[in-house]
């Protein structure tokens, strides 16, 4: 709900005079860390020099030494507070403009010392870029009070013009900075959303592929359960009824899986009728990579397809496929070695490329896509592990360990 303008103005006035300070800006030397370490001692040295100059001017005006010290401190204090407390610095500078003028010589065209006049311009120029527009309006209005009451008539117009220009430029700078921050935030949000969408799409693709494998096994269960009473002799009636129940449950599960697959598939995605690949198709894939110009070596002893479950074989094939794609994309010209080992209960897949001849983007860096995410999703969906990283020789390797149950349930 919109607030009343008077309430907004009063809240802005309270913020200007008594409210919390504006957030500090980015350090000027943030881009040069080697110089940033000298910023504090250099600033203190500059403040000491400014204090000495102001004190000398004040004593030349005939002020007592204690008053000169006080006025010099009031001139330097806002500049020391400016980097971290800009609004406090402005409050201090307004007080200094009102106080440090009472003993100015009559022949002076300006009521303030040069350090105080220049320091006030610097403070206003910074603080107007740190406050929102209602506070900015109050800040400019209050700053005009010492100008209108203490500055000579011939100098008032230029000073007020300078103050107005600083206010306009400061508001533009602040709005531009906020726009850039919002753009960066939207860009980061978009990138995170794209990453999340890529992960979900990869999971959906994995689920679709696993559906075909699981559906095949469920169909076998249903067929075997239906034909078992005819293949066996003297089957008791209760056992025959159990076979019928098993077949019915298997077919119900197939129906539910088809409904689930309909949810996973988009409207534009047609049914996938091609058989899913497995480890036996690795030589053909490596040969295709050879023809494409990739130097690949396959170290994969023949694997008994009946011992390695189909989902594990499919995951191993896809991991090798994505690993070769990453090597071709990020390590062009480097030799690649594919190693596949099937232990009694674990399938280990390793794709390692040598150091590329030319430095380029690496897997996992910005713009590298989501291949590593997909490989990790495949491994973890089967209860396995996945690691990827740079090797001591400058190459890159991905390793997946996919566990599976052997016949009989032993691991």
């Amino acid at each position: 709900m919109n607030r009343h303008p008077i309430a907004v103005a009063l809240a802005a006035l309270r913020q200007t005079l008594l409210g919390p300070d504006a957030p500090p800006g980015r350090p000027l030397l943030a881009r040069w860390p080697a110089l940033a370490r000298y910023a504090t001692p250099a600033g203190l040295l500059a403040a000491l020099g400014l204090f000495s100059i102001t004190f000398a001017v004040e004593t030349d005006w005939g002020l007592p030494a204690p008053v000169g010290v006080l006025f010099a401190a009031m001139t330097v204090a806002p500049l020391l507070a400016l980097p971290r407390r800009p609004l406090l610095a402005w409050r201090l500078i307004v007080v200094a403009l009102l106080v440090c003028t009472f003993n100015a010589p009559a022949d002076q065209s300006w009521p303030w010392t040069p350090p105080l006049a220049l320091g006030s311009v610097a403070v206003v120029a910074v603080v107007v870029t740190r406050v929102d527009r209602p506070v900015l309006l109050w800040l400019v209005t209050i700053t005009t009070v010492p100008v209108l009451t203490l500055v000579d008539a011939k100098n008032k117009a230029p000073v007020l013009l300078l103050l107005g220009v600083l206010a306009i430029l400061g508001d533009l700078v602040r709005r531009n900075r906020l726009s850039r921050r919002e753009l960066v935030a939207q860009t980061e949000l978009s990138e995170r959303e794209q990453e999340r969408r890529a992960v979900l799409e990869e999971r959906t693709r994995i689920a679709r592929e696993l559906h075909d494998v699981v559906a095949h096994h469920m169909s076998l269960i249903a067929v075997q359960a239906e034909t078992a009473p005819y293949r066996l002799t003297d089957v008791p009636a209760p056992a025959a009824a159990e076979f019928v129940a098993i077949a019915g449950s298997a077919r119900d599960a197939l129906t539910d899986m088809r409904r689930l697959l309909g949810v996973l598939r988009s409207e534009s995605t047609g049914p996938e009728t091609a058989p899913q690949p497995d480890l036996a198709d690795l030589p053909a894939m490596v040969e295709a990579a050879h023809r494409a110009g990739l130097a690949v070596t396959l170290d994969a002893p023949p694997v008994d397809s009946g011992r390695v479950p189909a989902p594990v074989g499919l995951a191993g094939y896809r991991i090798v496929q994505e690993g070769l794609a990453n090597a071709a994309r990020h390590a062009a010209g480097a030799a690649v070695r594919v190693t596949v080992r099937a232990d009694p209960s674990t399938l280990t897949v390793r794709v390692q490329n040598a150091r590329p001849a030319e430095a380029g983007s690496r897997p996992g860096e910005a713009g590298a896509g989501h291949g590593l995410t997909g490989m990790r999703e495949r491994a973890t969906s089967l209860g396995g592990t996945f690691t990827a990283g740079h090797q001591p020789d400058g190459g890159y390797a991905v390793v997946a360990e996919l566990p599976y149950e052997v016949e009989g349930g032993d691991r």
Side-chain angles (χ1 to χ4, degrees):
M1 185 175 65
N2 295 330
R3 300 173 60 188
H4 195 276
I6 296 179
V8 173
L10 293 177
L13 178 60
R14 184 166 53 251
Q15 167 72 20
T16 305
L17 298 178
L18 303 173
D21 213 314
R26 183 182 182 185
L28 295 177
L29 300 179
R31 297 183 179 180
W32 300 280
L35 298 178
R37 67 182 68 178
Y38 303 107
T40 299
L44 293 176
L45 185 61
L48 180 60
L50 183 62
F51 178 88
S52 301
I53 296 174
T54 305
F55 178 74
V57 174
E58 297 285 358
T59 53
D60 286 343
W61 285 3
L63 293 177
V67 178
V69 171
L70 176 62
F71 284 7
M74 295 179 66
T75 301
V76 174
L79 298 178
L80 294 176
L82 183 60
R84 296 187 178 276
R85 303 288 300 276
L87 196 54
L88 175 62
W90 171 81
R91 294 165 184 164
L92 294 176
I93 208 68
V94 170
V95 173
L97 292 175
L98 292 172
V99 173
C100 301
T101 60
F102 295 157
N103 294 315
D107 59 346
Q108 293 290 333
S109 59
W110 292 96
W112 306 298
T113 61
L116 180 57
L118 296 177
S120 62
V121 173
V123 169
V124 172
V126 171
V127 74
V128 293
T129 65
R130 300 296 175 190
V131 296
D132 56 15
R133 186 167 293 177
V135 175
L136 173 63
L137 295 176
W138 278 114
L139 187 146
V140 173
T141 302
I142 296 174
T143 307
T144 59
V145 172
V147 175
L148 295 175
T149 57
L150 300 174
V151 176
D152 292 343
K154 62 180 180 180
N155 295 327
K156 286 181 181 180
V159 174
L160 293 177
L161 178 61
L162 174 62
L163 185 60
V165 171
L166 291 177
I168 294 174
L169 293 179
D171 185 60
L172 293 176
V173 169
R174 178 180 175 276
R175 294 177 68 85
N176 181 61
R177 182 172 62 249
L178 293 178
S179 299
R180 285 184 296 173
R181 288 179 180 176
E182 292 177 357
L183 179 61
V184 171
Q186 290 295 329
T187 302
E188 293 178 352
L189 180 62
S190 177
E191 291 177 353
R192 289 195 298 268
E193 185 64 25
Q194 290 178 0
E195 293 176 359
R196 178 176 174 274
R197 186 181 299 111
V199 171
L200 293 178
E201 290 177 355
E202 185 65 22
R203 289 179 178 177
T204 303
R205 189 165 70 93
I206 294 173
R208 291 200 300 263
E209 293 177 352
L210 290 178
H211 164 270
D212 298 334
V213 176
V214 177
H216 172 70
H217 292 303
M218 294 297 296
S219 299
L220 291 179
I221 293 174
V223 172
Q224 291 174 348
E226 287 180 344
T227 59
Y230 302 98
R231 290 183 287 103
L232 301 175
T233 59
D234 300 329
V235 179
E242 289 186 8
F243 280 121
V244 173
I246 292 173
S249 298
R251 295 196 179 280
D252 289 342
L254 278 174
T255 301
D256 293 338
M257 289 184 62
R258 292 191 184 98
R259 293 172 180 170
L260 176 62
L261 186 64
V263 174
L264 294 177
R265 294 188 190 279
S266 63
E267 296 180 357
S268 60
T269 303
E272 297 178 359
T273 58
Q276 296 295 342
D278 57 16
L279 299 178
D281 298 309
L282 287 178
M285 179 172 58
V286 171
E287 181 62 27
H290 270 299
R291 292 195 298 268
L294 192 63
V296 187
T297 301
L298 176 63
D299 181 9
V303 178
D304 184 2
S305 59
R307 183 160 60 92
V308 178
V312 176
L314 172 62
Y317 179 90
R318 293 301 189 195
I319 290 173
V320 173
Q321 185 180 47
E322 188 63 39
L324 292 179
N326 277 356
R329 185 182 305 115
H330 304 290
V336 183
R337 182 177 182 84
V338 178
T339 305
V340 180
R341 292 289 185 271
D343 295 332
S345 61
T346 305
L347 177 68
T348 303
V349 177
R350 181 184 181 92
V351 181
Q352 179 174 354
N353 61 265
R355 183 175 183 176
E358 297 182 359
S361 60
R362 299 176 178 178
E365 293 181 352
H370 303 280
L372 296 180
T373 301
M375 289 187 278
R376 183 174 289 105
E377 288 286 339
R378 290 184 181 277
T380 55
S381 66
L382 297 173
T385 60
F386 177 82
T387 58
H390 300 286
Q391 302 301 299
D393 61 355
Y396 197 88
V398 296
V399 181
E401 295 184 356
L402 310 175
Y404 56 87
E405 297 283 349
V406 299
E407 185 177 357
D410 298 332
R411 293 297 303 269

